[in-house]
Amino acid sequence: MQCARDGVRFSRTFPLARWLCAPRHSSTNLFVGGLSYDTNEAVLKDAFGQHGEIIEAKVICDHVSGRSKGYGFVRFTSETAATTALNEMDGQSLDGRNIRVHYAHRG
């Protein structure tokens, strides 16, 4: 089976085809990867808060060591704010690291 995204055709046997062929959707929850191990929730909320009202900013930490795993989530009150933050923050530097921002998907 094949699908098209942005004018490019993908075969379902392509490893990322399931993700690439999935319909796009809006969300208020963003995944933030590539965080510095020193980035905390206050820093994350402050950095993303300039793009809209935030419900929650969460840095995921190891249960044993308490150390950041290098990723987190930011949930906005509106889809518009989340989309703006995604477009503005993806690839930007935060605490000395270039972060990756994507819509978070429940899986």
Side-chain angles (χ1 to χ4, degrees), residues 1-4 9-14 17-18 21:
M1 178 177 208
Q2 290 188 350
C3 69
R9 293 182 138 318
F10 296 96
S11 168
R12 289 278 183 186
T13 58
F14 182 68
R18 189 171 133 206
C21 296

Side-chain angles (χ1 to χ4, degrees), residues 27-97:
S27 174
T28 59
N29 198 22
L30 300 179
F31 167 84
V32 184
L35 293 175
S36 165
Y37 295 123
D38 297 326
T39 301
N40 59 33
E41 291 169 0
V43 170
L44 192 61
K45 188 172 184 174
D46 184 53
F48 280 80
Q50 61 186 327
H51 301 291
E53 187 177 350
I54 293 176
I55 296 172
E56 178 183 34
K58 181 79 176 159
V59 174
I60 306 304
C61 296
D62 180 77
H63 291 276
V64 176
S65 69
R67 182 177 164 173
S68 168
K69 289 187 175 185
Y71 67 94
F73 298 91
V74 178
R75 188 164 35 133
F76 286 86
T77 58
S78 75
E79 292 178 2
T80 304
T83 300
T84 300
L86 184 147
N87 292 330
E88 294 293 322
M89 295 297 292
D90 187 38
Q92 296 300 311
S93 179
L94 181 63
D95 278 350
R97 301 276 313 263

